[in-house]
Amino acid sequence: MSPKTFHQIVLRERPVADILPNTFESKTKAFDELRVGKQQALVQITYLSLDPAMRGWLRDARSYLPPVKIGEVMRASGLGVVVSVGEGSKFKKGDLVLGSLGWTEFAVMNDGALTKISPPSGSTALDFLNTLGVPGLTAYFGLYDVGKLKAGETLVVSGAAGAVGSLVCQLGKRSGARVIGIAGAADKCAWLENDLGVEKCLNYKSPTFREDFRKTVGYLDVYFDNVGGEILDLALSRLKKNARVVLCGAISAYNSERPTGLMQYQSLIGQRAKIEGFIVLDYVKEYPRAIEEIATGLADGSIKRKFHIVDGLQNAPSALPMLFSGTNTGKLVVKVSDEPRVVAKL
């Protein structure tokens, strides 16, 4: 039987700084409002990804994607199961799919906006929101295509216990680099050192962090930056000649009304270094080679991952700020449902 209603979470107002309780609001919709057209599928969402980039989508500013509109379902990548299809759809009921499904329990999607997934050996569907999805692809192309990491080099990774950072660390180890991670808690550092094998993890909350950074790192070849701010500025003061700085994110500044500027940027000149931002969507045609390599690591156990799962769509708004306070370890996702409960074709 189909439910009578379902829930969505929409953007209520744009936050100026931190995401607040009234940033989003929940809406109850009648299920019979859903209409599946030609080459469309009705998807029941099972899991949603929470990512730092979502803070940027709330800002009414020019970027690689348009901002989420007021009153619009919050944008998010997700997993789901096809429960009904329209005429001419390439999908069938029961297909497991990936797409930009949004903060909703059900969504009618165009066929072209969905990708059918089949987890490789050693992986699960949830990995397509992590190591086999955007975070993993971001780590892969950022490290290899932008960072151009080589064996024997020193790689420093900020936000190292997050979804992207933890895979960057592991890929760096696989490439024969000396890997140093930066995180904000003792348990995160222990996980990075003991389970993922980084040479050293530095706790940026330690009162001796800046001194520890200089002593441990020395000078670096590649800095993979997920946080920006003061830590990026510190890294810029420790560059080797021809070093590469990969700008993946700036999580420390996403909630700031006026982010602070860099002071050490002149070292880029003296060290003939490069600093470069990137967007993983630019590498779509190359995704298969990255997924194949990462899937091999999952299958043989050499690539590890960790999930932080929050239960219930209603908890998505309160879970999103965890990314900016550093209270999650590994990939942060929201579990929306267990399995399809809709059997009727619309």
Side-chain angles (χ1 to χ4, degrees), residues 32 51 61 72 100 115 119 128 209 263 279 294 314 317 321 327:
D32 59 14
D51 301 287
E72 186 176 23
S100 183
T115 300
F128 282 89
F209 168 67
M263 302 295 291
I279 298 296
I294 297 170
Q314 73 277 9
T327 49

Side-chain angles (χ1 to χ4, degrees), residues 248-269:
C248 178
I251 200 165
S252 70
Y254 285 160
N255 289 326
S256 299
E257 293 184 61
R258 294 180 180 273
T260 56
L262 298 175
M263 302 295 291
Q264 302 291 337
Y265 65 90
Q266 293 183 55
S267 62
L268 294 162
I269 302 170

Side-chain angles (χ1 to χ4, degrees), residues 285-312:
K285 293 182 179 179
E286 301 179 66
Y287 283 2
R289 71 176 169 94
I291 292 173
E292 181 179 3
E293 182 173 338
I294 297 170
T296 298
L298 288 174
D300 64 23
S302 62
I303 289 180
K304 301 175 183 179
R305 71 286 205 204
K306 180 179 287 190
F307 291 93
H308 187 132
I309 300 175
V310 175
D311 283 318

